[in-house]
Amino acid sequence: MSSDNFQSVLTETRVFPPSAEFAAAARVNAAKMAELRAAAAADFTGFWGAYAKSELSWATPFKTVLDDSKAPNYRWFHDGTLNASYNCLDRHLATKGDKIAIRYEGEKGDTRNYTYRELHAEVCKLANAIKAKGIVKGDRVVLYLPHSPEAVIAMQACARLGVIHSVVFGGFSATALRDRIEDTGAKLVITADGNQRGGNVVDLKKACDEALALGCPSVEGVIVAKRTGHAITMKDGRDAWWHEATAKLPADCEPVNVEAEHPLFLLYTSGSTGKPKGIQHCTGGYLLGAMLSAQWVFDLKEDDLFWCTADVGWVTGHSYVTYGPLANGASVMIYEGVPTVPDAGRFWKICQDHGVTIFYTAPTAIRALMKSGEEIPNQYDLSELRLLGSVGEPINPEAWMWYHRVIGKEKLPIVDTWWQTETGSIMMSPLPGATPTKPGSCTQPLPGLFADVVDEMGEPVVGKTAGGYLVLTKPWPSMLRTIWGDNERYKKTYYGQFPVRPDGTHLYVAGDSTHRDEDGYYWILGRTDDVLNVSGHRLGTMEVESALVSHPRVAEAAVVGRPHEVKGEAVCAFVICKGVRPTGDEALALIKELREHVAKEIGPIAKPDDIRLADGLPKTRSGKIMRRLLRSIAKGEEITQDVSTLENPGIVAQLAGKA
């Protein structure tokens, strides 16, 4: 990739500084942020070592902060021992035992609350049940559960025993579950009869049974939580009901202290080869990153109710539902279902009814709710909200502005966060009491984290503005430690693209293309395989999508490339309209209008060659757009990929012009 022709054509000049009122009460204001950055620049390891000592409770204090002798296999605090569950629960009992740890609402409106003392008791009882199954430190347990308190309890129970958990999203198929169970070599699966989603019952136990029937010889037992109450099959000698297995067990379980580098969890993410990668995170460094970033980015206060809408099946749910907020002694909101049941006001009703103060969700959800108009959110009292967040993908400026205007009432700061499953915690984000924000930019790395933009040779791109590959130039505590069972793949995937620098620096390759503006703010343009090469110009798909969504008729757009014999790649756009999808001459007129709109917003080079209007995009049940599928559709290829994890599999035929 030539940095000279990697172009950012998205121009955004709006700037929103923190309000004086918010900054005055914030954990980190501009002066504090400058102090933190200076401290990290002057003594990188000392910076992280001091926070590890002050923020975490250690059973055995560490003496070594960073061991980089086997880089890029870094070790942080490796000679110290601690327990993640103790840090999230036990240490709060004396001062916060009666504080709400979890507020929960199911899709049907049922609610439950757990204080820290109650959550601790439930975690200990399940930990005792797991221990009774013969599961010990270092064993793996796969969790296939609804997005509910049980998922948090199960994760904490595993952590309490030094058992490595691997959460599999409840929307994944039996085959996907089987693959993950077999790769981990799990001895135990914890699941539920089912969960409520989109007004339907998802039969988790049935999928679990199918997965185990496909293989999984390592599995010795299954613990089943009762959620929906529908009839399921229980296998004698293997399956046990959660409530029966824990009924007579004590509500106390001594935490098992583990080395800081002991794996806390494995979380699988898609790989370019199609084989999922088991991302391995450790205990000490991961917990520090999740905890500290939650403090700084979300400005956590004692009376906050923090709602991260992500499912625990994804890293966002690990870091900002289960570990980061609880390590800080915060109150967490959990909602089981989808944001549009019974209507598009569900998120806002939950915020109103429960008094949510911090709301952290994905651009996909924001755009979907934006499509329904502002009349719906305006029906609810959102006055308790004080901070908004975005996670999962770059947020286009128009969605950012809708979020700011309609939900934030032009008063609330928005933290647009960039990070990955692999990074473990937030890498770049505004600090809401310190950083002026720009719609669509994740701004700058957090204190103690270091990024750069490099060209195809790994050399820094210099100049007033820079476009190229996003890299991280120093290790950080919450970084992935390896790919489970395949350390060579880890080194090749994340550190193999560029040579080690003369000073010994290993460059972590994020896999994202980025643009850094004259203020040093980063703009994530999409995955490097989501970069279009049009007549020698390299354009980020996110920029073309943002231009399309800025049109008043467009709710959402996804852009991919397809081969073009003259231009190299042609721009193909899939567009979801606000309101009823036009057809016939009206559709042709709108398509022409959208092409001209993109040309005006970006330039003629970005004008889509093909625009397809549709009722939806192919998304997984987590809301992620399956772009590989869109590329196949754009090329006119026969669809052979597994579409079982799609929320709306029927949309594929429509996008392909067959429905």
Side-chain angles (χ1 to χ4, degrees), residues 532-588:
L532 306 175
N533 190 339
V534 182
S535 300
H537 299 267
R538 295 181 67 85
L539 307 173
T541 56
M542 175 264 188
E543 298 181 293
V544 184
E545 290 166 1
S546 291
L548 286 163
V549 174
S550 69
H551 188 280
R553 290 289 304 278
V554 177
E556 189 169 15
V559 170
V560 297
R562 70 163 184 239
H564 189 282
E565 60 182 9
V566 176
K567 296 190 291 184
E569 276 190 294
V571 180
C572 184
F574 299 87
V575 171
I576 313 305
C577 298
K578 295 176 182 176
V580 178
R581 174 172 58 92
T583 57
D585 290 343
E586 184 184 357
L588 293 174

Side-chain angles (χ1 to χ4, degrees), residues 101-272:
I102 294 176
R103 294 180 68 89
Y104 168 72
E105 182 171 314
E107 192 172 77
K108 288 190 170 182
D110 50 307
T111 60
R112 282 183 275 157
N113 293 334
Y114 292 82
T115 65
Y116 269 91
R117 187 168 288 109
E118 290 166 339
L119 184 59
H120 175 266
E122 292 301 317
V123 167
C124 287
K125 286 194 287 185
L126 182 61
N128 284 324
I130 294 171
K131 191 160 52 171
K133 295 279 187 183
I135 307 298
V136 299
K137 173 187 171 183
D139 285 343
R140 278 79 64 202
V141 172
V142 163
L143 311 179
Y144 187 58
L145 288 160
H147 186 51
S148 67
E150 283 74 18
V152 175
I153 291 166
M155 295 165 79
Q156 290 285 339
C158 289
R160 194 164 196 85
L161 299 173
V163 169
I164 306 165
H165 64 70
S166 184
V167 182
V168 178
F169 174 57
F172 278 167
S173 66
T175 301
L177 176 61
R178 185 274 313 272
D179 291 345
R180 287 153 176 79
I181 292 172
E182 290 192 332
D183 197 63
T184 61
K187 290 185 177 180
L188 178 69
V189 177
I190 303 179
T191 188
D193 50 1
N195 71 298
Q196 301 285 343
R197 186 170 181 85
N200 302 309
V201 171
V202 179
D203 198 331
L204 295 176
K205 180 57 164 60
K206 181 181 178 183
C208 181
D209 289 343
E210 291 173 357
L212 297 182
L214 293 171
C216 309
S218 62
V219 174
E220 299 171 358
V222 179
I223 294 176
V224 186
K226 183 170 283 189
R227 170 68 187 108
T228 58
H230 72 281
I232 62 170
T233 300
M234 298 287 282
K235 183 175 180 179
D236 289 342
R238 186 194 71 182
D239 302 347
W241 284 107
W242 176 320
H243 62 277
E244 293 176 355
T246 59
K248 297 180 181 180
L249 295 179
D252 189 47
C253 177
E254 190 69 20
V256 175
N257 291 313
V258 300
E259 305 80 10
E261 282 295 308
H262 181 74
L264 177 62
F265 65 86
L266 307 174
L267 191 56
Y268 285 79
T269 184
S270 59
S272 58

Side-chain angles (χ1 to χ4, degrees), residues 228 278 287 329 332 438 450 565 598 608 653:
T228 58
L287 195 60
V332 174
K438 299 180 181 182
F450 299 87
E565 60 182 9
V598 172

